Amino acid sequence: MSLVPVCGPEGPIEAQRARDVSAKAHRHAFTTWYASVPELAPCSEALYEQLRAPEQWLPYADTASTLARLTRSGLPLGVVSDVGWDLRATFAHHGLDRYISAWVHSYEHNTEKPDPLLFHHACRELDADPSETLIQQEFRPVLSPYASPA
């Protein structure tokens, strides 16, 4: 068994730096991480493709009803994401894309969250005032820390 360096230019930790600024960097970060486990190394590309597959992502049970209710109330909804691919296909696969009016992917802007540029871009696409915009983070909603103009 050979050991894969954890740190340094070829290690999985170093590969995570700025992984969300491009699709290529994202793929490299994840395949390097998978390849750091000798048993997974031969499958690293296949694992990454599985990660990207819309059917591999499962929304929470109340996602559709929550998005539908927010949309009916007139709130514009957008997605700001750090994944290394376009999430529209995943949302479409689950019938959720119809609720989203703006899509902002960090890899398309050569930056990553929490760069306020991404938030402001989404607000412009939604025609939303940043000071009146709520961000739903992965775990809890917060008033925008990016409300001041960029």
Side-chain angles (χ1 to χ4, degrees):
M1 175 195 300
S2 63
L3 296 177
V4 175
V6 175
C7 297
E10 298 302 317
I13 293 173
E14 186 60 34
Q16 301 307 309
R17 297 189 203 294
R19 75 174 187 204
D20 301 319
V21 301
S22 73
K24 180 179 177 182
H26 194 272
R27 176 181 289 277
H28 174 71
F30 275 83
T31 56
T32 300
W33 182 41
Y34 296 141
S36 70
V37 178
E39 294 81 6
L40 298 179
C43 308
S44 61
E45 286 294 329
L47 288 168
Y48 188 76
E49 287 308 313
Q50 181 179 359
L51 177 68
R52 292 176 40 127
E55 64 276 7
Q56 297 298 322
W57 292 86
L58 300 175
Y60 291 109
D62 63 347
T63 300
S65 62
T66 300
L67 294 177
R69 185 174 180 193
L70 291 169
T71 301
R72 280 193 308 273
S73 74
L75 289 174
L77 302 175
V79 170
V80 176
S81 176
D82 266 347
V83 299
W85 63 89
D86 192 324
L87 285 174
R88 287 178 185 93
T90 301
F91 276 66
H93 178 78
H94 297 287
L96 302 173
D97 57 321
R98 65 181 173 215
Y99 302 116
I100 308 302
S101 300
W103 301 88
V104 179
H105 298 92
S106 61
Y107 75 90
E108 296 175 322
H109 298 277
N110 197 36
T111 189
E112 57 192 345
K113 293 191 282 186
D115 188 336
L117 175 129
L118 299 169
F119 172 76
H120 285 283
H121 187 76
C123 286
R124 280 190 301 279
E125 284 193 22
L126 293 167
D127 195 28
D129 181 340
S131 67
E132 297 178 359
T133 300
L134 181 72
I135 298 172
Q136 172 61 49
Q137 301 280 10
E138 282 76 10
F139 302 105
R140 60 183 171 82
V142 293
L143 289 175
S144 168
Y146 312 122
S148 61

